Amino acid sequence: MCGIIGIASNKSVSMNIINSLKKLEYRGYDSAGIATLTNNTINEKKCSGRVEELEKILFKNPSEGNVGIGHVRWATHGIPNTLNAHPHSSEKVSVVHNGIIENSDELKKTLEEKGFKFKSETDTEVITLLVTESLKKSDPLESVFKTLKKLKGSFALGIIFKNHTDIIIGARRGSPLAVGYSKEENYLGSDSYALKSMTNKISYLDDGEICVLSKSEISFFDANQNKINKKIHIVSDDENTADKGDYKNFMSKEIFEQPNTAKKCVSEYIDSLKKDINIYNFPITPGEIEKIILIGCGTAYHSCLVAKYWFEELTSIEVEIDIASEFRYRNLKFSTKNLYIFVSQSGETADTAAALEICKKNKVKTCSVVNVVESTIARNSDWVLPIHAGPEIGVASTKAFLGQLIVLYILCLKLSSVRNDIDKKSYNINIENLKKLPDAIAKTLKSEGDIQIMAQEFLKARGSMFLGRGSSFPIALEGALKLKELSYLHAEGYPAGEMKHGPLALIEEGLPVIVIAPKDKYFEKTLSNTQEVIARGGKIFFITDIKKRLLSTNIRLRLRVPHLDNFLSPILLTIPLQLLAYHVALLKSCDIDKPRNLAKSVTVE
Ligand code: F6R
């Protein structure tokens, strides 16, 4: 989390820094700051709150300078206030930091003993003061190298120097950092997204690397201070899609974009002529894969959970799923016959990237299902399956979840076909149904009116519950997560069959309970579980794909989504839940694209 930008130019940089920070706000938005260099002075300006506030400060009191750094923060050490906002400057240097310095307390104590005074509660300020101390005897690059040796933890850094007004030094360990090239200026950024409006020529730093950039040149060094060359990537120009258009916010745009997301993704992977799936170059011969392990965080983990049901149903491969923050610390038995699949929209999630790193160390084959193909996770995995969803800006993931599900389902179908786990006829039918998915999503989105009515009923609720069985269970989890993060209303997702083992105690008169019940092998069982909730006063919202009107009494609202086949039901059943969370949040006037306490790209552990 947190966003870093740095620009070295032959013209004033502050306005471009502000514009880039606005793009980076999805990474953190509790405070913002900028530092530029003019006449051997560091001009530092910062505030709590959004970049808009910083812009107002600069409007009243502009910051000149052709070299500068900026930051948007997602607080880890110290509350989100002006003092803790980045940059953190001494009389000699100014630092922006993304990540966590794990030994900051120790380092702070040593610096205080030497007489250094701290202004903030952050871990970052130790970096500022360590570099300041080193500068007494060393040049900027040497000072940064010396400082990095003392740091434990993860970081991406941008540093400017009062007495070296033409350079910015960047460093990476654990947290992503990119540089961008242009004719008369060069850039530093915590991801390529912030740089894309200025350049499409980007290099990514690897762990341990340092870069020194001026307006005309960028040099790279490895951890041993050797000069190195970096590959320049030309990144795809999908910038235009990162615009709200006529929508109130990015989230509604991204929800309503889903028919197109599905269309694009399906057309990338399905060869309509050959009636086959275009997935080749498996890192392990498909017939030899013994186990698939799917790993992700949050919403991405939910897509792994849905995929588990698909792989179990359609292939003979054993499947395990894991939350990345758990996976990375477990004592696992790795096998070269297993395929480890990492699911991540951003491709920068720290826990998922660390879990991938562990797999690499154990020399097992890895695959990533990502939206950002230039990301760390994509670059570090053996095999990449992009979801082609385009930039997702709303912090709550919607279209990327849909893309992850589609790609995982397509991968599952392909594996079932090449391993002869599925007959040709069923394979063809499943592919045909996939092609109908975009239209079915568009039809499902038409339920928005009913959902607006449903959302009213959540306004006075003290909590809510989402129930499902089989592949609808992860959809219940996802529905509850979306409602929690957007509307701040407590929501629990449960397998419907678990209710009587405890959660039934939570049911009281009027508690909204969303039951997700497609016509599958669990349907009758889910109906029985629903009756148990009704008997205890729960207010039922029943989301299904069956036509027949069942349980007409005691159901507050029954919503029907189109039916294609049982495998695609979880995808369609997700849409009303996204809309529900969106409309409850809208009625409660919550900040839809930037829910409190959250950030889009979780690059700290
Ligand atoms: C919830 C949400 C998060 C992310 C999670 C993983 O709406 O967006 O739970 O899914 O932080 O992020 P990625 O997919 O970027 O690894």
Side-chain angles (χ1 to χ4, degrees), residues 297-300 343-349 352 377 392 395-397 404 478 481-482 485 599-602:
C297 299
T299 288
V343 183
S344 173
Q345 186 284 129
S346 60
E348 300 294 354
T349 301
T352 315
I377 291 174
E392 187 181 65
V395 164
S397 187
Q404 289 161 357
E478 176 59 8
L481 177 64
K482 285 287 101 90
E485 65 181 324
K600 182 79 184 154
S601 188
V602 187

Side-chain angles (χ1 to χ4, degrees), residues 381-543:
S381 46
D382 296 313
W383 200 44
V384 185
L385 297 174
I387 64 169
H388 301 288
E392 187 181 65
I393 310 299
V395 164
S397 187
T398 51
K399 65 173 182 172
F401 179 61
L402 184 112
Q404 289 161 357
L405 289 179
I406 296 175
V407 170
L408 289 169
Y409 180 56
I410 288 176
L411 174 65
C412 171
L413 273 183
K414 181 72 180 183
L415 277 171
S416 71
S417 156
V418 290
R419 289 168 62 99
N420 294 321
D421 289 333
I422 192 172
D423 60 80
K424 188 76 189 143
K425 189 172 165 220
S426 311
Y427 181 64
N428 287 343
I429 293 175
N430 289 338
I431 289 184
E432 282 313 303
N433 284 337
L434 250 175
K435 291 204 268 182
K436 293 180 197 150
L437 186 63
D439 284 344
I441 296 171
K443 273 195 199 128
T444 311
L445 284 166
K446 293 199 173 128
S447 59
E448 193 183 15
D450 284 343
I451 290 163
Q452 275 170 312
I453 298 168
M454 188 168 157
Q456 301 274 0
E457 310 241 6
F458 283 70
L459 286 182
K460 293 207 178 89
R462 288 199 301 163
S464 61
M465 215 165 240
F466 290 69
L467 306 179
R469 297 181 82 126
S471 60
S472 302
F473 158 53
I475 299 307
L477 290 180
E478 176 59 8
L481 177 64
K482 285 287 101 90
L483 190 64
K484 273 186 268 217
E485 65 181 324
L486 285 163
S487 72
Y488 320 140
L489 177 69
H490 185 71
E492 291 268 9
Y494 262 103
E498 269 292 291
M499 288 300 284
K500 54 177 89 62
H501 300 290
L504 210 49
L506 291 173
I507 306 293
E508 55 185 21
E509 199 58 44
L511 184 92
V513 179
I514 293 94
V515 179
I516 304 142
K519 183 70 188 144
D520 56 15
K521 64 181 175 191
Y522 307 94
F523 184 73
E524 303 301 333
K525 305 262 175 224
T526 310
L527 275 189
S528 308
N529 301 136
T530 309
Q531 292 294 9
E532 290 158 9
V533 174
I534 290 172
R536 283 151 186 93
K539 199 196 277 180
I540 301 289
F541 300 89
F542 201 75
I543 307 185

